[in-house]
Amino acid sequence: MTSSTDWLANEYDDKNDVQTHNHQNRELLFYRYVAEGNLEEIHKNIENHEFLNPKGIGKLSRDIVQNFKYHFVVSIALITRLCVDNGMEMERAYRLSDFYIQKLDDISTLEDLEKLHDKMVLDYTNKMIIINRSANLSRPMTECLNYIYSHLKERITVKDLAEYTSNSASYISRLFKDELGTSTSDYIRQAKIEASMNLLRYSDYSLADIANYFSFTSQSHFSQLFQKETGLTPKKYREKYYGTHWKGTPRDIMNTEE
């Protein structure tokens, strides 16, 4: 049977599942949220487990995991293009895409696939936040922000930023006040807290591991700073926002219709 006759047989076979696709605008809106660095909307999407929502996705494979892998590749391709259109350097965007697509080889469950998707969209979104924040900043400030977000796991000082940008520490401190309206140390702390919020919401790392990961002096110091910044202790924040993953069966996902 030729490919054309295969298609016709599939198109008119009443036994085939009917799968209505998502409206294009709904999908594009999500991709635009990533490209705009709209972290709030991306968190909503993740918390609602939209990636594994069976309504409105095409059936690209009879194998449930493979089907969602194909959709993952489509999603990251569109996200990559939109991020490039919104200012991400092309080579960087495509290296990121290649990295996550290669990770698919190690995925065998829907839960792990959703976790990888969540990590991917957060990675792109956070990178776009940095790009958008840097759009109207001076070159030394942009270099400072790139350094900070590339070294969040380390202890960062004004001296580090000054040496990296070939400026004096006093000049860098003044730039932060003038361009961002905050001190260098406050900005670095806020960046680390924001990153730790993602780990609390979407990973199983212990509080001690997270504190150590971002080079806080101790878990108690991390908890103190986190509560000051968010109004919640790390433990309370995780209890309130930690996301559970899709609990349906593969049959539930493949057979649910609009």
Side-chain angles (χ1 to χ4, degrees):
M1 189 178 283
T2 66
S3 58
S4 60
T5 54
D6 279 345
W7 163 250
L8 288 172
N10 179 76
E11 183 74 357
Y12 294 105
D13 187 351
D14 292 336
K15 295 179 182 179
N16 283 327
D17 295 334
V18 176
Q19 189 72 35
T20 303
H21 290 68
N22 278 322
H23 194 283
Q24 186 181 31
N25 288 342
R26 177 184 169 191
E27 293 185 4
L28 286 177
L29 185 61
F30 169 68
Y31 302 142
R32 287 194 183 106
Y33 285 147
V34 176
E36 293 168 1
N38 192 332
L39 199 56
E40 181 179 356
E41 290 296 335
I42 297 305
H43 280 315
K44 288 179 183 177
N45 183 279
I46 291 173
E47 288 161 6
N48 291 331
H49 310 285
E50 290 294 337
F51 177 67
L52 290 186
N53 186 340
K55 295 182 179 181
I57 68 164
K59 187 175 180 181
L60 304 179
S61 172
R62 288 185 293 273
D63 179 82
I64 177 61
V65 176
Q66 189 62 43
N67 190 56
F68 278 95
K69 282 186 177 183
Y70 286 142
H71 284 287
F72 184 105
V73 173
V74 171
S75 294
I76 198 170
L78 291 171
I79 287 171
T80 299
R81 180 57 187 269
L82 282 175
C83 286
V84 170
D85 289 345
N86 281 267
M88 184 177 286
E89 196 270 325
M90 183 178 292
E91 183 61 29
R92 182 187 189 190
Y94 282 100
R95 282 202 309 268
L96 200 59
S97 172
D98 292 345
F99 170 79
Y100 282 106
I101 290 175
Q102 290 168 12
K103 288 289 184 181
L104 290 176
D105 291 342
D106 303 321
I107 299 295
S108 59
T109 68
L110 288 175
E111 182 179 12
D112 287 342
L113 185 57
E114 185 182 26
K115 287 179 179 178
L116 183 66
H117 175 267
D118 295 350
K119 182 179 179 182
M120 179 269 291
V121 295
L122 284 170
D123 198 356
Y124 271 96
T125 303
N126 282 311
K127 283 178 170 55
M128 290 308 300
I129 289 174
I130 300 169
I131 291 170
N132 293 336
R133 285 175 178 171
S134 303
N136 299 313
L137 300 177
S138 64
R139 182 171 180 178
M141 179 56 68
T142 299
E143 292 175 347
C144 285
L145 297 190
N146 286 336
Y147 183 92
I148 289 170
Y149 287 101
S150 297
H151 297 79
L152 273 183
K153 293 185 291 183
E154 304 168 15
R155 303 187 89 176
I156 306 169
T157 66
V158 179
K159 182 180 178 181
D160 295 329
L161 298 177
E163 291 178 353
Y164 180 72
T165 60
S166 300
N167 288 288
S168 68
S170 60
Y171 177 73
I172 294 300
S173 296
R174 188 167 67 252
L175 272 186
F176 271 82
K177 283 290 186 181
D178 292 344
E179 297 192 24
L180 298 179
T182 187
S183 69
T184 310
S185 59
D186 283 349
Y187 188 92
I188 294 169
R189 185 187 68 249
Q190 289 165 2
K192 287 177 178 282
I193 293 298
E194 286 178 4
S196 69
M197 288 165 70
N198 284 332
L199 288 185
L200 288 167
R201 293 173 80 135
Y202 304 113
S203 81
D204 295 320
Y205 288 124
S206 69
L207 302 188
D209 287 339
I210 294 174
N212 184 61
Y213 185 79
F214 291 113
S215 298
F216 289 99
T217 54
S218 66
Q219 182 182 334
S220 60
H221 184 236
F222 165 58
S223 296
Q224 181 183 16
L225 294 177
F226 190 95
Q227 185 170 12
K228 182 179 180 180
E229 191 71 31
T230 67
L232 295 171
T233 64
K235 181 180 180 181
K236 290 292 184 182
Y237 185 88
R238 170 167 274 171
E239 289 174 352
K240 184 173 182 179
Y241 293 112
Y242 183 77
T244 56
H245 289 273
W246 177 267
K247 290 183 166 56
T249 65
R251 183 178 296 274
D252 291 333
I253 295 174
M254 290 302 284
N255 293 339
T256 303
E257 298 179 7
E258 289 277 358

